[in-house]
Amino acid sequence: MNRLAIIKSCYQRSAINIGNWTADLSLLFLRLLAARVFYMSGRTKWNGLFQFNEQKYDLFMYEFFCPEPVREGALQLCNPETLDYEEGSAIVGVIKALAVSAGILEILLPLLLLIGLFTRFAALGLLAMTLFIQLAIFPEWSHWWNPAAWWAVALFAVLSIGPGRLSLDRV
């Protein structure tokens, strides 16, 4: 075997070994990246264990679903003329349920992603939240390219490849 063939063989073995090692580390970093963003958002929705921050209802009601000024293409659930909700409206209850659900999911799904348990399910849930935020709340290209595209890429990678060997799913 000539020297060039030996060098080529060593390079190929090294590349495979490095690829195997860095693939699992890369998947761990992708999981951590996505988990941190959503977990930090979820923490702002709670004042303590099982104590929802009621100020977040206003965030959902007026910033997300009834913004002023109105965001073109965004889901608007309030009266478009008054930019307010009707007293006793059922939609207010739905929005409050969405706020609490988001608060729960933004804690639970990132924790699952972090430890690598039910990882694809967690990635799919967070990807659905990313797409909902992008399509219904902030339907502007500027929001898509920064930050939503980064979240989506990380979550798509974990969803398609899996959590890697550094996860409880692997066990």
Side-chain angles (χ1 to χ4, degrees), residues 132-147:
F132 181 80
I133 291 165
Q134 180 57 44
L135 297 173
I137 309 298
F138 298 107
E140 303 100 19
W141 278 108
S142 61
H143 186 271
W144 171 249
W145 288 116
N146 194 22

Side-chain angles (χ1 to χ4, degrees), residues 105-125:
L105 291 174
E106 284 181 334
I107 296 293
L108 179 63
L109 295 178
L111 289 176
L112 290 174
L113 204 61
L114 177 70
I115 63 174
L117 183 63
F118 305 115
T119 308
R120 284 188 162 113
F121 167 77
L124 182 62

Side-chain angles (χ1 to χ4, degrees), residues 4 8 25 29 31 38 48 50 55 61 65 71 74 81 86 89 95 103 115 118 135 138 151 164 167:
L4 187 57
K8 179 182 172 186
L25 202 54
F29 286 149
R31 290 182 3 234
F38 286 93
F50 303 117
Q55 293 175 343
M61 289 175 62
F65 297 117
R71 287 188 294 271
E81 295 169 7
E86 293 180 27
S89 171
I95 292 171
I115 63 174
F118 305 115
L135 297 173
F138 298 107
W151 308 338
S167 68

Side-chain angles (χ1 to χ4, degrees), residues 48-92:
L49 191 61
F50 303 117
Q51 296 175 11
F52 189 77
N53 181 349
E54 293 192 13
Q55 293 175 343
K56 294 301 173 174
Y57 291 139
D58 285 344
L59 173 73
F60 274 72
M61 289 175 62
Y62 294 103
E63 176 65 26
F64 292 166
F65 297 117
C66 190
E68 186 178 346
V70 174
R71 287 188 294 271
E72 188 176 331
L75 178 62
Q76 188 172 359
L77 299 179
C78 66
N79 183 329
E81 295 169 7
T82 63
L83 292 179
D84 210 350
Y85 297 91
E86 293 180 27
E87 191 69 33
S89 171
I91 198 69
V92 172

